[in-house]
Amino acid sequence: MLFRSFKLLGGMSIPSGDYGATSGNKAGLAKTGFGFGLEYDKPIENTNLNLVFTGLLNSHSVDASEIEKNLQSYDADATVDVGSYLLFWITAGIGFQSEMSPNANLYGNLQIGLLHGKVPEMTMTLPSSDIKGVSESASSTVFGLGIGGGIIFSDKYDIGLHYYTAEPEYEVTTKTTSSTLGNSSSSIKAKQPTASINLLFGYVL
């Protein structure tokens, strides 16, 4: 059996490039997280090629210590509470599968599609300065690219590496409150390069 149908995916997701960087204008401060998803493959008759459809959810927490370090240069008691990135990839493309041995097949695929992403909400507290700020963002949907490959064993078990990349633009609104300085609100738009390498284990249904 060279082609599989539905496959459950799960494993580790490692931020790549600016997305996982801790310095620079586009540093995403993302930490290693997880990925879960579902893949469907449809064979192209009389070839070793197949159509591939994938839905993958990534979650990455944020390195809050870097943000706190910057704020503590203004207020030594500053603290930060921040959530996680949520990324939902919906992609489709073409793949191949080739028999390596009676119990192992090599596969690869190239996909395009959409990333629906959301940056985490963040609460910043500067007690010595009597300032509290809350930043939140609407979600963003942009074009994305995925490439992957791996080995499937006994037509049932799969291990593979899957790389996804996109550059969503988020509008982030920050509201600050202070009993001495008053309240304020500001918004900025910024693009966040978003890429991850996913080490995923699969189970063919």
Side-chain angles (χ1 to χ4, degrees):
M1 176 181 172
L2 287 179
F3 297 98
R4 62 254 191 230
S5 52
F6 284 101
K7 180 170 61 177
L8 294 175
L9 300 170
M12 180 172 59
S13 182
I14 305 169
S16 177
D18 286 332
Y19 184 49
T22 57
S23 61
N25 293 334
K26 294 187 176 182
L29 304 175
K31 300 171 71 174
T32 296
F34 64 82
F36 291 109
L38 180 67
E39 182 177 288
Y40 174 71
D41 295 342
K42 178 179 176 60
I44 299 175
E45 192 172 353
N46 299 322
T47 73
N48 281 345
L49 302 177
N50 53 310
L51 300 177
V52 186
F53 306 88
T54 305
L56 182 70
L57 175 67
N58 283 153
S59 178
H60 300 103
S61 59
V62 175
D63 189 350
S65 64
E66 291 295 323
I67 304 172
E68 283 188 340
K69 188 186 303 181
N70 290 332
L71 291 177
Q72 286 170 356
S73 63
Y74 302 97
D75 186 331
D77 298 319
T79 59
V80 173
D81 182 26
V82 61
S84 298
Y85 287 98
L86 289 177
L87 310 173
F88 185 48
W89 305 87
I90 304 175
T91 57
I94 192 165
F96 75 90
Q97 191 170 154
S98 179
E99 186 173 320
M100 298 173 60
S101 72
N103 293 314
N105 296 326
L106 177 70
Y107 72 89
N109 57 64
L110 177 65
Q111 301 184 65
I112 60 173
L114 298 175
L115 164 64
H116 183 74
K118 185 170 177 59
V119 296
E121 182 177 307
M122 179 169 58
T123 301
M124 302 160 285
T125 305
L126 289 75
S128 300
S129 306
D130 186 32
I131 297 174
K132 182 177 181 179
V134 177
S135 294
E136 54 187 5
S137 169
S139 58
S140 176
T141 302
V142 295
F143 170 82
L145 174 69
I147 185 170
I151 301 175
I152 185 168
F153 299 95
S154 302
D155 296 329
K156 204 70 178 176
Y157 306 102
D158 175 9
I159 181 171
L161 287 174
H162 303 263
Y163 175 77
Y164 287 89
T165 182
E167 191 171 12
E169 181 177 65
Y170 299 105
E171 182 173 6
V172 180
T173 300
T174 302
K175 298 179 181 179
T176 59
T177 57
S178 172
S179 59
T180 56
L181 301 176
N183 302 335
S184 65
S185 178
S186 62
S187 297
I188 62 169
K189 286 186 177 181
K191 291 186 175 182
Q192 176 60 66
T194 302
S196 64
I197 300 170
N198 295 268
L199 174 60
L200 299 177
F201 298 91
Y203 178 76
V204 179
L205 300 178

